[in-house]
Amino acid sequence: MRRSLEVWKMGTVNYLEALKLQEKLASDRKALKITDTLLSLQHSPTYTLGKRQTVHNLLIPDSELKAMGAELHYTQRGGDITFHGPHQAILYPIVSLRDIGLGARKYVEKLELTMIELASIYGVKAQVGQRCETGVWVEDRKIGAIGVRISSGITSHGLAFNMDPDLSYFKHIVPCGIADKGVTSLKKEADVELPSEEVIQEQLISCFVRIFGYNDVVLKDKSFL
């Protein structure tokens, strides 16, 4: 069975704009108006909280975030507080789990494998976390975060892989509610010179396409949106 995917390469997008776009695309996907769609982008500095979380894992007053040039937003995804910012590769899949025959757990596992495979391209051994540790890790250092929403079998939100973000932003939160472990990046862990971030983001897309088994892929430059 052939599976089609439309990939939107969007550059840097404001978090709220990306959120509104995901909501519209998820509604369109549910109504069968569009095929599965993958948004590839970066955000300006933004902290986000999952739907059942509070700011207790934010280590500075939220009033200070603006002075740092960062925003704080509450979301309907799963997971705890996390950071999104420049030099972080983000994928937001808007896909029908029913059409690709996946349950929620298997879907998350494939997102994890997508980041693990990307890290392996550069000789970095990443793996899933221990029990209750979401995302992807290099030993005890988190390199990739996952937070998803599934509504009526349609996914939104997704994954964030640290290429070379300013890791000091993570010092102001307890990432994903895990207090005793650190955060890292591909730049810090790889022993080889990295290509441009555009190349890395394209490789992340390729890993996603391969792991999820899409046959027909259409790339669209949506950076003008």
Side-chain angles (χ1 to χ4, degrees):
M1 179 177 178
R2 300 198 68 79
R3 296 175 178 170
S4 299
L5 180 70
E6 190 168 288
V7 179
W8 292 20
K9 299 169 67 176
M10 303 190 68
T12 299
V13 182
N14 173 272
Y15 185 82
L16 285 183
E17 290 179 2
L19 189 60
K20 291 176 183 177
L21 177 60
Q22 289 180 77
E23 291 171 351
K24 181 183 184 305
L25 291 174
S27 177
D28 288 348
R29 185 67 187 91
K30 181 180 177 181
L32 304 179
K33 294 180 180 179
I34 61 172
T35 189
D36 285 353
T37 303
L38 181 68
L39 309 183
S40 174
L41 50 87
Q42 295 188 28
H43 287 310
S44 54
T46 307
Y47 294 97
T48 67
L49 292 109
K51 59 185 176 181
R52 286 187 288 271
Q53 302 303 318
T54 65
V55 294
H56 70 280
N57 283 327
L58 179 64
L59 303 180
I60 62 172
D62 55 4
S63 59
E64 295 183 16
L65 295 179
K66 190 172 183 180
M68 293 168 45
E71 300 177 356
L72 175 67
H73 295 295
Y74 295 81
T75 77
Q76 292 300 306
R77 64 163 172 79
D80 207 314
I81 193 168
T82 193
F83 170 76
H84 295 314
H87 316 298
Q88 187 183 64
I90 295 172
L91 295 183
Y92 291 144
I94 314 297
V95 306
S96 170
L97 293 185
R98 293 175 184 144
D99 283 3
I100 60 178
L102 294 178
R105 180 63 249 174
K106 193 66 177 177
Y107 171 66
V108 170
E109 289 175 356
K110 284 181 176 289
L111 291 181
E112 292 168 339
L113 285 173
T114 297
M115 293 190 282
I116 290 170
E117 183 170 303
L118 176 65
S120 72
I121 293 173
Y122 297 97
V124 176
K125 182 174 175 54
Q127 67 275 327
V128 299
Q130 302 299 316
R131 183 177 176 84
C132 298
E133 293 179 351
T134 60
V136 170
W137 301 74
V138 180
E139 297 178 353
D140 61 351
R141 303 175 298 280
K142 192 166 193 174
I143 196 169
I146 291 176
V148 304
R149 185 184 186 201
I150 301 171
S151 177
S152 301
I154 307 300
T155 69
S156 57
H157 298 273
L159 64 82
F161 183 85
N162 294 337
M163 296 182 292
D164 186 24
D166 181 350
L167 297 179
S168 67
Y169 279 102
F170 289 95
K171 295 178 181 178
H172 302 300
I173 62 174
V174 181
C176 300
I178 301 171
D180 59 345
K181 298 195 176 180
V183 180
T184 191
S185 66
L186 187 63
K187 178 75 171 179
K188 288 191 68 172
E189 300 294 340
D191 292 328
V192 297
E193 184 175 348
L194 299 180
S196 69
E197 291 185 354
E198 182 179 359
V199 168
I200 296 172
Q201 288 189 263
E202 288 176 352
Q203 290 171 330
L204 184 61
I205 292 169
S206 295
C207 292
F208 178 91
V209 168
R210 182 163 51 254
I211 286 170
F212 280 85
Y214 287 100
N215 315 102
D216 300 317
V217 179
V218 177
L219 296 175
K220 292 195 173 183
D221 182 357
K222 296 284 186 174
S223 58
F224 58 88
L225 292 181

